[in-house]
Structures are given as C-alpha cells and as structure tokens.
Amino acid sequence: MPQTPSSRKIRANLARYTETFFEVLIKTCGWSAIVCVLTIFVFILFHATPALKEISLWKFFTSTAWSPHHEQYGAFALIVGNLLVALVAMVIAVPLGLGAAVYISEFATGKTREWLKIGIELLAAIPSIVWGFIGLTVLSPIMVHQAGAEMGTNLLNGGIILALMSVPLIVSISEDALRAVPDSFREAGLALGANKWEMVSRVLFPAARNGLLAACMLGVGRAVGETMAVLLATGNTNQIPHSLLDPIKTLTATIASEMGEASRGSMHFSVLFLIGVLLLLITCTINVVADLIIKGTKAKANA
Amino acid sequence: MSSRSLLLSLALLVGGLTSCGKKADGKASLKMSGSTTLAPLATVWAEAYAKVHPDVAISVSAGGSGGGITDLIEGRNDICNSSKPMPEEDKKKVKDKYGKDAFEVAVAYDALAVFVNKSNPITEISFDQLKEIYKDGSTVNTWAQVAPGGLATDLKVLSRETNSGTGEYFNDTIVGKKAKIRAGMGEMNSSQAVIDTLKNTANAIAYDGMAFATADVKMLNVSKKTGEPAVAPSADDARSGKYPLARKLYFYTVGEPTGEAKKFIDWVLSPEGQAIITSSKLAVSLK
Amino acid sequence: MLEEAKNPFGPTLYEARKERIAKGAQIVTMLMAVALIIPMMWIIGLIFVQGWPAMSIDYLWQNPVGGGVAGGIWGPLIGTFFLTLMCLLIVAPIGVLAGIYLNEYAPDNKATRIIMIAVTSLAGVPSIVHALFGLAAFVVAMHMGKSLIAAACTLAIMTLPVIITSTREALGAVPRNFREACWNLGASKWQTIRTIVLPNSISGILTGVILVVSRAAGETAPIMLTGAAAYLPLPNTMPDKLMPYYLGDQFLALAMHLNVIARDVPNMPTEMKFGSALVMLLLILLINSAAIALRIRLRRRKRW
C-alpha cells in the first residue's frame, strides 16, 4: 500500500500517542509501591485512632494485664514476648547464617555451591503455616520428652522455628554482601600471606561489615513480624517468661487469634489495629535502616 | 518463547475471566459463622442438609462466638453460631440496627469437661476447687493443694483465649460473671491445642467441650460443692442437668427466622437433625 | 628448633596452628551450611512419612467431608489455585510495569530513592498487618465483603515487591548495548523495551511470577481475615467441581485448611493432618523448583 504523506503522519501520531500512553501507564505503576505503603499506613492508623485517643498508652506499654473483656489492654508482656522470641531466633540464626554464607561464598565450589544454594532457597520457600505445624506437632513432643519442658509449645520452640525461617534471608543477603567485595581485596590478602580463613575474617568481614549487619537486621525484621508460625508454636501464654521453656505470647499472634472475636468498632478492634501500627513501625524502621546501610555500602564500593 | 508465553498468558486470562463471570447460580445461600465449638457440628449438619435439600448452599466459618455475633450485627451472616448466650449490649445493637430482637434458638447441649493428663491420678474436682484455681490472685500452684496424695508437681493451668465462648462460659460459671481470672495462664487458642498440650504436659489442667476428648486425655468428674457426689460428663447427665458443667449451644438470627434459615433450623431441631448430634458425638442432643 | 632443622621450608609451629584454624574454620562453616539443610530434609522426610498414608488420587480429588476429618482436599486445592490466579492477574501487570519504570525510566534522584525504600518497606510488612489492611481496605471500605476478590487483592499488595524486584533484576541483566543499539537505529524508548528488552528478560520475569505464586499459595494470615472459610458446601459434579468459587463469595484454601485442621477440628486423624501438610509442602516445593530450574536454564541460555 503506497504511503501517502497523510497516512504516514497518522501512523506517526498513533505511534507517538501509544508511546505516551504506555509511558504514563508505566510511570503510574512505578509509583504503586509508594501508594501501597502509604495506604497501608493510613488505613491501619485510621482504625487505631479510637484506641490512641481512649486508652492509656502508658498502661499499654508497661502493664502486663491483657484482658479485653475487662477493658484492660496492657501489652508489655506481648511486646517482650515478641522481642524475646526474635532474640532467641537470632542467637541461633545469625551464627549459622553467617557461617553458611561464608562457606557458600568462599569455600564451596561448583556443584556443592549450586546444591547448597538450592537447598537454602527451598528452605526459604516453606510456608509459615507448615513451620507452625512442625512446631506444634513435631517439636512440641521433643520439647516435653527430651528437654523436660512443661509445655511443648514455648519460647524455645518458637525461637527454633523462627530461626529456621529467617536463616535463608540472612544467608542470601550475607552472601550478596560477601560477593560484592571486589576480588582485589581477596587477592591482596592472600598475596600478603594470609591463609583462607585469615583472609575471610580479617579482610572480608570488615569490608562486608555493613552488608552483613543489614542481613542480620532483615532477619530480625522477619522474625519480629512472623505470625502463623508463632501462633502455633509459642504456647500463647500472656506472661514474661522465666526460662527458655516457658510459653509466651506475641503481638502478632494476639492479632491473629483475637481478630475474629473483636466486634467492628469496639475498643478491642481498635487496640488490635494499634498493635498493627506498632508492628508496622518496628518492621518498617528495621527494613529502612537495613536498606540504607546496604545502599551506603554500595555507594562506598562504587566510589 | 514469546509466542508461547503469550499463549500462556491468554490462557490464564481466559481462565480468570471465566471464574470472574461465574456469579450466583440461583442457589439459595445460608451463611453461618461463629463459635469454634459449634463449627464442626454445624459442618456436619450442613453436609447432611445438603443431601436432603441440594438447592441450598450452607457455608460455615469459625472465628469465635464473638466474631459470629459481630457478623450477625453487621449483616454478614444469616445464622450466628454461639456457644455463649448473646450479651445484652449486643442484643441491644441488633435491636437498634434492625428494629427486631435477636432470636435465640438452643440447638444442642455441650458438656464442658475438665481435662487432665492421663498420668494424673486425680478423678474428681468440685466447683470450689476450680474456682480457687482459676480466680484472679489464685495461690493454688501445686497439685498437692488440689488433690493431696496425687501428683506432687506444680500445677499448670490452661484456659481458652480471652474472647472464646467456651472460655467465657467457664469463667462465668466457675469464677463469676465478668470476674477477673487468673493471670499468666496458658491460653490455648483452639480446642485442638488444648488436647495437644494436655497430651504432652503431665501437670496440666484444662477445660473444653466433651466432644474434643481423645484417648490421650482424662476427663474428671465434677461436683458442684466439695463433698457432693461428682458426676462424670456424659450425654444423658448433661441433658438432665445432673452434670453441672453443661451449657446450651445457640443459633441466633435477626428477628424470627424466615425462609431458608427457618427451614434449616426446623430441620436441626427435628429428630433427624438431633440424631446427627448423637451420631457425630460432637455435642449432646436436646432430647 | 629440631623441627625447623628437619625441614627449613616447612611450616613453623605458628604457621601450622594457623593452618589448623583455617582448616577448622572451613569444616565448621561447612557444618553450619549443612546444619541448615539437615532440618529441612528431616522435616520434609517426617511430613512425607506421616502424610503419605493419606495420599491417593481420591484424596486429591474429593472434597473435604465433616470439616476435613474424612474425604479429600480438592476444595482447598482448587481454591488456592484460583486465589493465586486472581492475585497474579492483579499484581503481574502492575508489578512488571513498575519494574520497567524503575529500571528504564526512573531518574537517579530522591524520588526514585523513596520509591525503592517503599518497595523494601512493603516487603517487610508483617503478614498479619497485610491481613489487617486487607480487612480494613478491601472487605470494609471497598465493600467487597469477605470474598475471593478481597483476599486476592490483599495477596496482590503483599507480593508486589517480589515481582517488582524480580523484574528489575531481569531487566538489569540485559546489557546496555542492546538498548543503545536500538536507540541508534531510531527506535523510541517504549519500542526498545517492547521489542528487545522485555523478550530477553522474560525468563527472569517469569521467575518472579512463579515466586509470587509460591508466596500467595503459602500465606495464611492475609486470607484468614479476608475471606477464607472453614467449611463450604462444594459441588461434587462436573463441571462445577472444577470451578466451585465465585469472586464475591468466601472460599477454601490449602493454607487456611491446614490452619483449621491443625487447631479446630476434633479427632482429626494424624495422617490426614500430615497429608494436608504434605500436599501443601509438595505444592510449594514444586513451584519453587520450577523457578529455580528456570533460573538455571536462563543462565545457561544467555547469549551475551
């Protein structure tokens, strides 16, 4: 078909309009992440405001009396429970994760590395409800019969499960951080006579320090925010534990188990959203700080 | 690769849109939600009813009695399953919103059993003893205080979660209406969790519906006062009132039930529906 | 002294000790790496052994009976399928386009940094907070009620960062000279993306899609508050059996089913419990293995 000047012009215009249309569409989608985060904050905050206005925040943070039936909303033991189980998880997960990352990144070769990485990735894929199920049905009897615990679902049980859940995250980000250290560092270290382990501990760790720190922080974020696994595995007892084998209750489990019962518009409902605000603040802060640390490292490395 | 992925995405799109287009197909729907104690029984009823009346689709969710009551007030369900009587303030909310009273139908009895681990030698317990254990500020911390001569270990007290219908009934009956209860109890958020924990914890005491009993746990005989003869939990004794920890399980509707809800509730109350309670062993029938 | 006289070129005591530490460190870290794989294999093995007796074609094809005590898991299985399908239909277009924006169009300024921070924050939001948001925004504010569509939207928001990150990485792997060559030939930005960049990164994007499916299929908390039911009457006749759910109604899902039978169903036979856990585990592992295989194939096929 012969191309007349007018038809060429129409096609050119059409192409330009399609192009602009797609560019606008793409730009809008680009902002979707921000829109989502802001909307989440707005909605959760909105439903938490009645609680913010009515209940005593001082009691919320310091009292351990959590009894919505009697209008008592002391969340101290819940907060402590959440933080403790994350702490126990990190004590297990950080050394294991860093060690595994070092092995995969520096010592393992070829097929071994491939298979280890696949294994870690599959570990990361296991859903949280399955982990909770494991804690409830498998770890719990072990706790009782082998560790002599009173209740099989307790702090240690939840901590182990959370550790296994956050380790893949720590491993993959630590591994990225170690990989990001330029080979020249390694070569320099070896050239100066260090053996492999000395090179790792004295050259790589300091160089990748920020990335490793960020990895641990992201692991903490994951552990603090986990819901289903702790719901099934920690025993749901609102108390400050005296030992590792005591059951505890976390903020996340509180929301999950009590949401079904709270009537819409009641103070209980609003307080549960308040807990949501608290969780959101904690996890977002951890993630943003970790992200800034990683970005800081990248900027230094590129400079 | 690109034409294949295009085909794949087209197939997904078609699949998605077809499921989109499928709206109500003319079946009457009946939504029930609420108590976790009633949910298994309601499910069995719904399945049996579907065989007799295949034109009605009954759905059951369980979020707790409180959740069911909320759903009823919000108009999100047709029948509310509740293992506790609806509180006055909620009844008022229904009246305010709909102009009709909440209609209460007792559909079954439930014997609440006191459970202990199989290894515990104790066989009976009284209301007074239970009150001592479960009340706020309780000083009962060892088994010796409850049943001298039996277990010599500490006492591990388990309860149901703060807003469970089962928990509320137990607290109201044993400790007192809206009274404060013992702090630091192990709150089990489901009946299954109670049984699982009891299986593994030798010094625990807990309560839950008799239907959840398994061979791994032991039920205690209960007496109203120490010294009175203790009654074992059983269907007949629960019905007659001889077993003191028997409660009713309720259906609530907004105003008198009509249409499909009425037909279903009538069927549940009929000998057919009640026979299912007995055969499923999930609760105690009314007669 | 004597040792050094024996072999003046051999290691000194000090060096020998350092070598032992180095070797020790290698073994210790290897054990740590293995220590992670072992629990996973043990868990999978355990679930397999306890759940296998319940598995059969019947188990997969029948709907649950008596709340899950008998029968099969077809209802939850097909529910999870449709749930993830709807979630994908919502999140894939938005996520891929957002990834394209971030990698191709976004200027290197503060605004872009904020977007990146937002993506990271969104990824870190706890699943129960997503559930609360879904309840507040989709179930209540947008009047979707507790339904399949509300749950799908909630899961879409939750998995958005996954697909944005995967798309960005996939696009970033396409070398810059490809794009430059296109521009030199007179193509516009969108034309370049459409004809060269996207087709070359489709495997990476597909990996992201598969990861979204895995995440959406495995989450319980978000769907618990936004529409998953404990029991639904399900048609047992074809073709209704293949598509038993409506967008605006409640549904069954594998994750929720596992949650319910682990906690609320009395007298649940152990092998049924483990059977459901097994099906869920196998499903997720299968999906993720597909993603991993795709990624390996992508690496081998790279023509640059």
Side-chain angles (χ1 to χ4, degrees), chain A residues 66 68-70 72 136 140-141 144 150-151 231 235-239 247 249 257-258 260-264 268, chain B residues 63-67 70 74 76 154 156 158 162-164 168 178-180 184-189 197 200-201 203:
Chain A
W66 178 263
H69 249 180
H70 301 115
Q72 286 191 312
L136 182 62
S140 172
V144 170
E150 240 181 16
M151 267 183 75
L231 181 62
N236 281 300
T237 307
N238 181 28
Q239 65 175 9
K249 193 169 181 183
S257 56
E258 295 185 12
E261 298 272 358
S263 327
R264 178 97 53 70
H268 191 191
Chain B
S65 305
T70 308
E74 303 277 332
R76 280 202 297 257
D154 284 345
K156 183 85 199 148
L158 303 177
T162 40
N163 251 357
S164 127
E168 228 179 294
K178 285 258 177 196
K180 285 207 179 167
M185 288 192 285
E187 268 173 38
M188 304 285 104
N189 50 35
T197 313
N200 296 323
T201 314
N203 59 348

Side-chain angles (χ1 to χ4, degrees), chain C residues 110-166:
Chain C
K110 203 112 188 241
T112 313
R113 272 302 298 273
I114 297 185
I115 298 184
M116 291 312 302
I117 292 183
V119 173
T120 323
S121 310
L122 195 57
V125 172
S127 56
I128 191 71
V129 176
H130 277 291
L132 285 178
F133 172 66
L135 180 66
F138 298 120
V139 173
V140 178
M142 289 183 65
H143 297 289
M144 291 184 191
K146 289 201 173 176
S147 59
L148 185 59
I149 188 70
C153 290
T154 315
L155 286 177
I157 306 253
M158 202 178 75
T159 49
L160 189 62
V162 175
I163 204 151
I164 291 184
T165 317
S166 297

Side-chain angles (χ1 to χ4, degrees), chain A:
Chain A
M1 175 177 147
Q3 289 191 4
T4 66
S6 53
S7 83
R8 210 179 301 152
K9 219 175 177 182
I10 296 176
R11 279 218 325 274
N13 278 339
L14 196 63
R16 226 194 12 249
Y17 291 146
T18 337
E19 171 99 10
T20 336
F21 170 71
F22 273 107
E23 278 197 21
V24 166
L25 188 65
I26 288 177
K27 286 209 174 91
T28 326
C29 288
W31 287 83
S32 59
I34 293 192
V35 168
C36 285
V37 173
L38 288 178
T39 322
I40 292 182
F41 258 108
V42 161
F43 269 96
I44 308 277
L45 213 59
F46 175 70
H47 283 281
T49 7
L52 278 173
K53 287 198 276 202
E54 304 260 333
I55 67 166
S56 147
L57 277 182
W58 176 250
K59 273 220 249 153
F60 180 75
F61 281 109
T62 55
S63 150
T64 59
W66 178 263
S67 181
H69 249 180
H70 301 115
E71 307 287 322
Q72 286 191 312
Y73 300 109
F76 185 59
L78 301 174
I79 298 175
V80 166
N82 230 125
L83 293 179
L84 272 183
V85 78
L87 183 66
V88 170
M90 284 303 111
V91 161
I92 302 174
V94 165
L96 273 185
L98 289 182
V102 164
Y103 182 71
I104 293 179
S105 157
E106 304 300 319
F107 293 117
T109 49
K111 269 291 165 72
T112 333
R113 177 189 283 167
E114 279 295 325
W115 282 107
L116 277 176
K117 287 186 78 162
I118 291 181
I120 301 280
E121 227 181 293
L122 288 181
L123 194 67
I126 299 182
S128 54
I129 181 77
V130 175
W131 281 118
F133 182 74
I134 303 287
L136 182 62
T137 49
V138 173
L139 264 188
S140 172
I142 295 183
M143 285 282 151
V144 170
H145 296 132
Q146 256 79 323
E150 240 181 16
M151 267 183 75
T153 52
N154 49 37
L155 179 58
L156 187 59
N157 192 335
I160 294 178
I161 298 288
L162 275 187
L164 287 173
M165 291 178 77
S166 0
V167 139
L169 192 61
I170 297 181
V171 169
S172 73
I173 300 191
S174 301
E175 214 227 316
D176 281 346
L178 288 172
R179 290 248 132 259
V181 176
D183 272 339
S184 50
F185 280 51
R186 293 183 181 80
E187 289 163 2
L190 290 173
L192 285 172
N195 62 30
K196 205 108 191 250
W197 173 244
E198 282 182 325
M199 185 262 297
V200 165
S201 59
R202 304 205 194 185
V203 178
L204 283 188
F205 274 175
R209 185 183 48 218
N210 285 354
L212 298 178
L213 182 63
C216 299
M217 290 189 71
L218 287 172
V220 170
R222 180 91 207 271
V224 166
E226 180 49 47
T227 311
M228 293 316 290
V230 293
L231 181 62
L232 271 70
T234 51
N236 281 300
T237 307
N238 181 28
Q239 65 175 9
I240 312 256
H242 296 293
S243 89
L244 273 183
L245 298 174
D246 277 342
I248 51 149
K249 193 169 181 183
T250 63
L251 293 167
T252 46
T254 310
I255 303 180
S257 56
E258 295 185 12
M259 203 56 189
E261 298 272 358
S263 327
R264 178 97 53 70
S266 70
M267 186 49 60
H268 191 191
F269 185 81
S270 194
V271 173
L272 290 178
F273 269 85
L274 183 62
I275 297 182
V277 171
L278 185 60
L279 284 170
L280 201 55
L281 285 175
I282 297 177
T283 49
C284 275
T285 316
I286 294 179
N287 277 283
V288 168
V289 170
D291 190 67
L292 288 175
I293 294 181
I294 295 184
K295 287 285 156 54
T297 318
K298 285 221 185 101
K300 259 198 299 178
N302 287 336

